[in-house]
Amino acid sequence: MNETAQPDLRDLILALDRKIDLQFTEMRGEIRQVETRLQGEIKRLEERVDGVAVKLNERINSVEVKLTEKIDGIEAQLNERINGMEGKLSEKMDGIGKRLDNQEFISRGAIITLVGGVLTGLIKYLFFSDN
């Protein structure tokens, strides 16, 4: 019984081994198919992401150009206002300078008149008084 059982057992093991090899081969084929499909899907997704990235870059550049133009316009307006304010300030400073010059002239005149009056009074008191 041992001798007949051994060839049957050996045949069974060989048959199982062939069946397992066949199933592994089939599974490898299916895995390759799935892998191929996944690679295709990944490639399509990468292409879509690249397309979205290009569109985003275009939009960002467009917004950047618009912002730059707006900033340049605002800067030009501010420069105009600053130049206008500098002109007005310069005019006011000139006016203040002229007023100060007039004040100094008037003050000098008043001091000279005062000193002249005091000297006149002193001379009159000293030389022309009846003492």
mmCIF file of all heavy atoms in Angstrom, residues 63-84:
data_model
loop_
_atom_site.group_PDB
_atom_site.id
_atom_site.type_symbol
_atom_site.label_atom_id
_atom_site.label_comp_id
_atom_site.label_asym_id
_atom_site.label_seq_id
_atom_site.Cartn_x
_atom_site.Cartn_y
_atom_site.Cartn_z
ATOM 1 N N VAL A 63 -2.859 88.238 -12.689
ATOM 2 C CA VAL A 63 -3.150 89.024 -11.481
ATOM 3 C C VAL A 63 -1.948 89.872 -11.103
ATOM 4 O O VAL A 63 -2.088 91.038 -10.714
ATOM 5 C CB VAL A 63 -3.578 88.091 -10.323
ATOM 6 C CG1 VAL A 63 -3.624 88.829 -9.007
ATOM 7 C CG2 VAL A 63 -4.923 87.447 -10.624
ATOM 8 N N GLU A 64 -0.766 89.312 -11.224
ATOM 9 C CA GLU A 64 0.460 90.045 -10.897
ATOM 10 C C GLU A 64 0.610 91.273 -11.791
ATOM 11 O O GLU A 64 0.948 92.358 -11.323
ATOM 12 C CB GLU A 64 1.671 89.128 -11.043
ATOM 13 C CG GLU A 64 2.973 89.761 -10.651
ATOM 14 C CD GLU A 64 4.161 88.817 -10.813
ATOM 15 O OE1 GLU A 64 3.991 87.694 -11.302
ATOM 16 O OE2 GLU A 64 5.260 89.242 -10.439
ATOM 17 N N VAL A 65 0.323 91.104 -13.087
ATOM 18 C CA VAL A 65 0.421 92.233 -14.020
ATOM 19 C C VAL A 65 -0.593 93.310 -13.643
ATOM 20 O O VAL A 65 -0.263 94.503 -13.592
ATOM 21 C CB VAL A 65 0.197 91.745 -15.475
ATOM 22 C CG1 VAL A 65 -0.030 92.907 -16.417
ATOM 23 C CG2 VAL A 65 1.379 90.911 -15.940
ATOM 24 N N LYS A 66 -1.826 92.890 -13.337
ATOM 25 C CA LYS A 66 -2.860 93.864 -12.961
ATOM 26 C C LYS A 66 -2.482 94.594 -11.680
ATOM 27 O O LYS A 66 -2.646 95.815 -11.578
ATOM 28 C CB LYS A 66 -4.215 93.166 -12.792
ATOM 29 C CG LYS A 66 -4.819 92.701 -14.091
ATOM 30 C CD LYS A 66 -6.128 91.970 -13.862
ATOM 31 C CE LYS A 66 -6.697 91.427 -15.157
ATOM 32 N NZ LYS A 66 -7.931 90.656 -14.928
ATOM 33 N N LEU A 67 -1.982 93.858 -10.689
ATOM 34 C CA LEU A 67 -1.579 94.490 -9.427
ATOM 35 C C LEU A 67 -0.424 95.465 -9.648
ATOM 36 O O LEU A 67 -0.402 96.551 -9.071
ATOM 37 C CB LEU A 67 -1.183 93.431 -8.403
ATOM 38 C CG LEU A 67 -2.327 92.688 -7.733
ATOM 39 C CD1 LEU A 67 -1.787 91.572 -6.838
ATOM 40 C CD2 LEU A 67 -3.192 93.627 -6.925
ATOM 41 N N THR A 68 0.522 95.071 -10.472
ATOM 42 C CA THR A 68 1.650 95.949 -10.763
ATOM 43 C C THR A 68 1.170 97.236 -11.419
ATOM 44 O O THR A 68 1.627 98.337 -11.062
ATOM 45 C CB THR A 68 2.669 95.224 -11.675
ATOM 46 O OG1 THR A 68 3.108 94.033 -11.024
ATOM 47 C CG2 THR A 68 3.859 96.100 -11.988
ATOM 48 N N GLU A 69 0.236 97.117 -12.366
ATOM 49 C CA GLU A 69 -0.300 98.301 -13.027
ATOM 50 C C GLU A 69 -1.027 99.202 -12.026
ATOM 51 O O GLU A 69 -0.858 100.424 -12.036
ATOM 52 C CB GLU A 69 -1.253 97.894 -14.149
ATOM 53 C CG GLU A 69 -0.549 97.252 -15.337
ATOM 54 C CD GLU A 69 -1.519 96.680 -16.361
ATOM 55 O OE1 GLU A 69 -2.747 96.702 -16.117
ATOM 56 O OE2 GLU A 69 -1.050 96.206 -17.407
ATOM 57 N N LYS A 70 -1.825 98.590 -11.138
ATOM 58 C CA LYS A 70 -2.550 99.385 -10.143
ATOM 59 C C LYS A 70 -1.582 100.072 -9.188
ATOM 60 O O LYS A 70 -1.748 101.242 -8.857
ATOM 61 C CB LYS A 70 -3.530 98.508 -9.368
ATOM 62 C CG LYS A 70 -4.776 98.162 -10.145
ATOM 63 C CD LYS A 70 -5.789 97.423 -9.300
ATOM 64 C CE LYS A 70 -7.034 97.122 -10.116
ATOM 65 N NZ LYS A 70 -8.064 96.481 -9.313
ATOM 66 N N ILE A 71 -0.579 99.332 -8.746
ATOM 67 C CA ILE A 71 0.413 99.906 -7.820
ATOM 68 C C ILE A 71 1.156 101.052 -8.500
ATOM 69 O O ILE A 71 1.383 102.099 -7.889
ATOM 70 C CB ILE A 71 1.382 98.815 -7.318
ATOM 71 C CG1 ILE A 71 0.647 97.871 -6.363
ATOM 72 C CG2 ILE A 71 2.597 99.428 -6.648
ATOM 73 C CD1 ILE A 71 1.432 96.639 -5.983
ATOM 74 N N ASP A 72 1.517 100.877 -9.773
ATOM 75 C CA ASP A 72 2.201 101.944 -10.499
ATOM 76 C C ASP A 72 1.314 103.179 -10.619
ATOM 77 O O ASP A 72 1.778 104.313 -10.467
ATOM 78 C CB ASP A 72 2.644 101.469 -11.886
ATOM 79 C CG ASP A 72 3.773 100.452 -11.827
ATOM 80 O OD1 ASP A 72 4.421 100.348 -10.760
ATOM 81 O OD2 ASP A 72 4.007 99.764 -12.851
ATOM 82 N N GLY A 73 0.023 102.951 -10.880
ATOM 83 C CA GLY A 73 -0.916 104.074 -10.971
ATOM 84 C C GLY A 73 -1.054 104.799 -9.647
ATOM 85 O O GLY A 73 -1.036 106.045 -9.601
ATOM 86 N N ILE A 74 -1.170 104.052 -8.576
ATOM 87 C CA ILE A 74 -1.287 104.658 -7.242
ATOM 88 C C ILE A 74 -0.007 105.410 -6.901
ATOM 89 O O ILE A 74 -0.041 106.511 -6.349
ATOM 90 C CB ILE A 74 -1.614 103.579 -6.192
ATOM 91 C CG1 ILE A 74 -3.036 103.065 -6.401
ATOM 92 C CG2 ILE A 74 -1.443 104.124 -4.786
ATOM 93 C CD1 ILE A 74 -3.386 101.844 -5.567
ATOM 94 N N GLU A 75 1.132 104.817 -7.243
ATOM 95 C CA GLU A 75 2.414 105.464 -6.974
ATOM 96 C C GLU A 75 2.530 106.790 -7.729
ATOM 97 O O GLU A 75 2.986 107.795 -7.182
ATOM 98 C CB GLU A 75 3.564 104.528 -7.365
ATOM 99 C CG GLU A 75 4.925 105.054 -7.035
ATOM 100 C CD GLU A 75 6.038 104.086 -7.421
ATOM 101 O OE1 GLU A 75 5.777 103.116 -8.151
ATOM 102 O OE2 GLU A 75 7.165 104.325 -6.977
ATOM 103 N N ALA A 76 2.054 106.797 -8.986
ATOM 104 C CA ALA A 76 2.096 108.023 -9.779
ATOM 105 C C ALA A 76 1.200 109.092 -9.154
ATOM 106 O O ALA A 76 1.587 110.268 -9.056
ATOM 107 C CB ALA A 76 1.671 107.739 -11.218
ATOM 108 N N GLN A 77 0.006 108.689 -8.704
ATOM 109 C CA GLN A 77 -0.899 109.639 -8.054
ATOM 110 C C GLN A 77 -0.277 110.200 -6.776
ATOM 111 O O GLN A 77 -0.358 111.402 -6.513
ATOM 112 C CB GLN A 77 -2.232 108.975 -7.723
ATOM 113 C CG GLN A 77 -3.081 108.660 -8.937
ATOM 114 C CD GLN A 77 -4.343 107.897 -8.553
ATOM 115 O OE1 GLN A 77 -4.516 107.476 -7.418
ATOM 116 N NE2 GLN A 77 -5.230 107.711 -9.522
ATOM 117 N N LEU A 78 0.321 109.318 -5.983
ATOM 118 C CA LEU A 78 0.966 109.779 -4.746
ATOM 119 C C LEU A 78 2.111 110.741 -5.042
ATOM 120 O O LEU A 78 2.277 111.752 -4.346
ATOM 121 C CB LEU A 78 1.469 108.586 -3.930
ATOM 122 C CG LEU A 78 0.401 107.770 -3.211
ATOM 123 C CD1 LEU A 78 1.023 106.540 -2.567
ATOM 124 C CD2 LEU A 78 -0.299 108.608 -2.164
ATOM 125 N N ASN A 79 2.896 110.432 -6.066
ATOM 126 C CA ASN A 79 3.997 111.330 -6.432
ATOM 127 C C ASN A 79 3.473 112.699 -6.855
ATOM 128 O O ASN A 79 4.049 113.727 -6.501
ATOM 129 C CB ASN A 79 4.855 110.721 -7.541
ATOM 130 C CG ASN A 79 5.766 109.625 -7.023
ATOM 131 O OD1 ASN A 79 6.111 109.609 -5.854
ATOM 132 N ND2 ASN A 79 6.140 108.710 -7.892
ATOM 133 N N GLU A 80 2.368 112.712 -7.612
ATOM 134 C CA GLU A 80 1.770 113.981 -8.021
ATOM 135 C C GLU A 80 1.304 114.769 -6.803
ATOM 136 O O GLU A 80 1.539 115.981 -6.698
ATOM 137 C CB GLU A 80 0.585 113.736 -8.964
ATOM 138 C CG GLU A 80 0.982 113.264 -10.343
ATOM 139 C CD GLU A 80 -0.235 112.947 -11.214
ATOM 140 O OE1 GLU A 80 -1.351 113.397 -10.878
ATOM 141 O OE2 GLU A 80 -0.070 112.257 -12.226
ATOM 142 N N ARG A 81 0.644 114.077 -5.879
ATOM 143 C CA ARG A 81 0.167 114.752 -4.669
ATOM 144 C C ARG A 81 1.329 115.278 -3.833
ATOM 145 O O ARG A 81 1.277 116.388 -3.312
ATOM 146 C CB ARG A 81 -0.692 113.811 -3.832
ATOM 147 C CG ARG A 81 -2.059 113.561 -4.436
ATOM 148 C CD ARG A 81 -2.901 112.715 -3.530
ATOM 149 N NE ARG A 81 -4.213 112.474 -4.122
ATOM 150 C CZ ARG A 81 -5.133 111.728 -3.573
ATOM 151 N NH1 ARG A 81 -4.905 111.129 -2.414
ATOM 152 N NH2 ARG A 81 -6.302 111.558 -4.169
ATOM 153 N N ILE A 82 2.360 114.459 -3.699
ATOM 154 C CA ILE A 82 3.531 114.880 -2.920
ATOM 155 C C ILE A 82 4.171 116.107 -3.562
ATOM 156 O O ILE A 82 4.522 117.071 -2.872
ATOM 157 C CB ILE A 82 4.544 113.722 -2.777
ATOM 158 C CG1 ILE A 82 3.982 112.656 -1.830
ATOM 159 C CG2 ILE A 82 5.887 114.228 -2.295
ATOM 160 C CD1 ILE A 82 4.783 111.373 -1.800
ATOM 161 N N ASN A 83 4.323 116.080 -4.888
ATOM 162 C CA ASN A 83 4.913 117.226 -5.584
ATOM 163 C C ASN A 83 4.048 118.468 -5.398
ATOM 164 O O ASN A 83 4.569 119.570 -5.207
ATOM 165 C CB ASN A 83 5.115 116.919 -7.062
ATOM 166 C CG ASN A 83 6.212 115.909 -7.293
ATOM 167 O OD1 ASN A 83 7.097 115.754 -6.465
ATOM 168 N ND2 ASN A 83 6.151 115.207 -8.413
ATOM 169 N N GLY A 84 2.732 118.310 -5.458
ATOM 170 C CA GLY A 84 1.824 119.432 -5.231
ATOM 171 C C GLY A 84 1.949 119.973 -3.820
ATOM 172 O O GLY A 84 1.977 121.191 -3.603
#
